[in-house]
Amino acid sequence: QVQLVESGGGLVQPGGSLRLSCAASESIFTSNDMGWYRQAPGKQRELVARITTTGITVYADSVKGRFTISRDSANGPMYLQMNSLKPEDTAVYYCNRRWKPYYSWGQGTQVTVSS
């Protein structure tokens, strides 16, 4: 029922920056704990950042200090500011609620960090 659309990915050199955006068809961003996830080929999907209904943010150790999750309002969008990007950040990035049951997964947005 809820449609999630990720955007903002692309090809960037190591050390570069990208800002990902997540839009939703309903006002979900302050009524749910939300997160940014990523999945690389052959790897499990992992949570990289989350923001609670009260605005608390938590980051995976691998991105701590480099990524920032934020949201404009209950209507969105939600953002993931990605700085000092590394090749190991290469993955498809998705947004979704933090807890099960998840919304239907969007197509994600590809982030490729390479020289």
Side-chain angles (χ1 to χ4, degrees):
Q1 186 172 349
V2 174
Q3 180 73 215
L4 298 170
V5 180
E6 301 91 351
S7 62
L11 175 64
V12 65
Q13 295 183 23
S17 298
L18 287 172
R19 189 180 73 167
L20 308 184
S21 296
C22 174
S25 58
E26 299 179 15
S27 298
I28 62 167
F29 293 105
T30 58
S31 57
N32 295 271
D33 286 9
M34 297 293 295
W36 281 98
Y37 302 78
R38 68 185 181 189
Q39 187 168 28
K43 304 292 185 181
Q44 294 287 114
R45 181 183 290 114
E46 63 173 339
L47 178 71
V48 298
R50 60 100 160 175
I51 184 166
T52 72
T53 57
T54 54
I56 298 171
T57 58
V58 183
Y59 301 92
D61 288 342
S62 58
V63 307
K64 193 178 302 179
R66 301 187 297 118
F67 291 10
T68 303
I69 186 172
S70 63
R71 62 189 180 220
D72 276 356
S73 70
N75 295 322
M78 184 173 74
Y79 302 106
L80 185 67
Q81 179 66 47
M82 311 165 68
N83 299 326
S84 302
L85 283 162
K86 304 175 180 180
E88 51 262 46
D89 296 319
T90 296
V92 178
Y93 284 72
Y94 303 87
C95 59
N96 214 319
R97 58 173 29 159
R98 175 66 180 85
W99 312 109
K100 294 181 179 179
Y102 298 113
Y103 298 123
S104 296
W105 295 92
Q107 292 186 352
T109 185
Q110 176 72 50
V111 172
T112 302
V113 185
S114 176
S115 298

